Amino acid sequence: GAGVSQSPRYKVAKRGQDVALRCDPISGHVSLFWYQQALGQGPEFLTYFQNEAQLDKSGLPSDRFFAERPEGSVSTLKIQRTQQEDSAVYLCASSAITNTEAFFGQGTRLTVV
Amino acid sequence: AQSVTQLGSHVSVSEGALVLLRCNYSSSVPPYLFWYVQYPNQGLQLLLKYTSAATLVKGINGFEAEFKKSETSFHLTKPSAHMSDAAEYFCAVSEPGGGADGLTFGKGTHLIIQP
């Protein structure tokens, strides 16, 4: 596609449920980032992939968060046993190489009830 | 460690007036600096970026920003506000040279345009 695509756009999960958020980056983009944006805040870095390698996961808030990009293209962010504090918009961004322009998807709004 | 401070969570200007959104950064090395705009229920769109070339950077939609190392600032300006400029604006910083830490964002400034 022409841009970064994220699905679903909206997700409501019951507390304790597992969720999986998908990101389709721009074709050929090497770098892929996940960010978490809480209501009224700026995005915060979660994790970074260069092709299939997860080079930085220092921003993942707990071991309930897991991200993968097995073939160096599509990425999935998985959250296990969701908690209310996980409610946020999860943004995916991709770039051709690190520190060139990052293109953002529209995000997935996760609401944990 | 890098950080970004955006002064003013809300800025209100009249249509046709000057827009000034403030951003100050903290970084141990000369950073790359960015301004992004976010419309409701949308992702982030890059307005402009500074990557150690010209200190005055021109972006899309008539916006520009000036990198001032002595003031550690990267304020965003537009000479004449338009109603369509109403949105959330984020200043961000990253390490140059291929750092893998992604972007560090400020908390954002909500720009309100009064008719």
Side-chain angles (χ1 to χ4, degrees), chain A residues 19-90:
Chain A
V19 298
L21 312 180
R22 178 187 170 104
C23 173
D24 282 86
I26 294 173
S27 178
H29 275 192
V30 168
S31 298
L32 186 145
F33 300 85
W34 283 98
Y35 293 86
Q36 180 190 58
Q37 186 176 18
L39 188 64
Q41 301 294 316
E44 293 192 356
F45 170 80
L46 292 177
T47 187
Y48 161 68
F49 289 87
Q50 187 173 90
N51 295 307
E52 69 278 5
Q54 188 175 21
L55 298 186
D56 188 345
K57 55 182 181 179
S58 62
L60 296 177
S62 78
D63 59 8
R64 296 186 295 103
F65 286 70
F66 173 75
E68 60 183 6
R69 193 186 186 197
E71 297 178 357
S73 177
V74 171
S75 178
T76 304
L77 177 66
K78 298 179 179 178
I79 309 173
Q80 297 177 324
R81 304 181 304 281
T82 52
Q83 304 293 317
Q84 276 195 318
E85 61 263 28
D86 301 334
S87 296
V89 175
Y90 291 85

Side-chain angles (χ1 to χ4, degrees), chain B residues 13-21 35 39 47-48 56-66 75-86 89 111 113:
Chain B
V13 301
S14 298
E15 189 174 18
L18 172 72
V19 174
L20 171 61
L21 304 183
W35 275 100
Y39 297 100
L47 281 176
L48 49 80
L56 181 62
V57 181
K58 294 186 183 298
I60 63 171
N61 301 339
F63 285 94
E64 62 181 39
E66 186 172 8
H75 302 329
L76 182 71
T77 61
K78 181 174 180 177
S80 177
H82 192 273
M83 295 298 292
S84 62
D85 295 328
Y89 290 80
L111 178 62
I113 310 297

Side-chain angles (χ1 to χ4, degrees), chain B residues 5-83:
Chain B
T5 302
Q6 291 185 239
L7 295 176
S9 59
H10 292 77
V11 170
S12 180
V13 301
S14 298
E15 189 174 18
L18 172 72
V19 174
L20 171 61
L21 304 183
R22 299 179 186 274
C23 172
N24 288 86
Y25 68 91
S26 172
S27 176
S28 58
V29 296
Y32 286 178
L33 292 157
F34 306 80
W35 275 100
Y36 283 86
V37 61
Q38 186 176 38
Y39 297 100
N41 297 316
Q42 298 292 316
L44 296 162
Q45 181 183 9
L46 181 68
L47 281 176
L48 49 80
K49 62 182 178 182
Y50 166 78
T51 56
S52 74
T55 56
L56 181 62
V57 181
K58 294 186 183 298
I60 63 171
N61 301 339
F63 285 94
E64 62 181 39
E66 186 172 8
F67 171 67
K68 292 187 176 180
K69 184 178 178 181
S70 61
E71 298 178 6
T72 61
S73 69
F74 191 58
H75 302 329
L76 182 71
T77 61
K78 181 174 180 177
S80 177
H82 192 273
M83 295 298 292

